[in-house]
Amino acid sequence: MFIILIVVIALVAWSLHLMQEAVENREFALMLAGTLVATAAAAMVGVYFLMGGYVGYVTEMSQQSYLPHESLDAEYLSWVSQWDGMLEQGARLTGSEIGQPPPL
């Protein structure tokens, strides 16, 4: 965090220096350069805050994935028991019940 803060402060200082030179020399190009450097500093701060929120979100999600979820386990077990019941019912069907002709 401190490295980013130092870089942003340096960019703002450089931007102000460029703008001061632009006013003294009456050069539009230096003013434009100072504006672009200030915009880069602002964008860097914006990305820092956006990524800080995202990293917190991802960290929270990874911690939640390791916690046991009883409700999910219960849903999984009920789904497995329903599937087993369907398989048992299918195994009890005879050939005529599933559309095949009976043996001769």
Side-chain angles (χ1 to χ4, degrees):
M1 178 179 160
F2 292 114
I3 294 172
I4 294 173
L5 182 63
I6 291 169
V7 169
V8 168
I9 290 172
L11 285 173
V12 170
W14 185 30
S15 169
L16 291 174
H17 176 72
L18 285 172
M19 289 183 182
Q20 183 180 6
E21 290 291 320
V23 170
E24 289 174 1
N25 296 335
R26 293 182 171 248
E27 287 190 32
F28 178 73
L30 285 176
M31 185 61 76
L32 182 61
T35 304
L36 291 174
V37 171
T39 304
M44 194 169 182
V45 170
V47 168
Y48 172 76
F49 283 118
L50 287 174
M51 289 304 296
Y54 178 73
V55 169
Y57 174 74
V58 169
T59 304
E60 181 182 327
M61 291 300 292
S62 66
Q63 288 176 354
Q64 286 181 357
S65 67
Y66 293 117
L67 297 176
H69 295 289
E70 295 175 6
S71 63
L72 292 178
D73 291 340
E75 287 181 32
Y76 175 74
L77 291 176
S78 68
W79 182 80
V80 168
S81 64
Q82 287 176 356
W83 181 255
D84 287 341
M86 290 170 58
L87 288 176
E88 289 175 8
Q89 182 183 11
R92 286 182 272 157
L93 294 175
T94 61
S96 62
E97 290 175 335
I98 56 174
Q100 296 177 353
L104 296 175

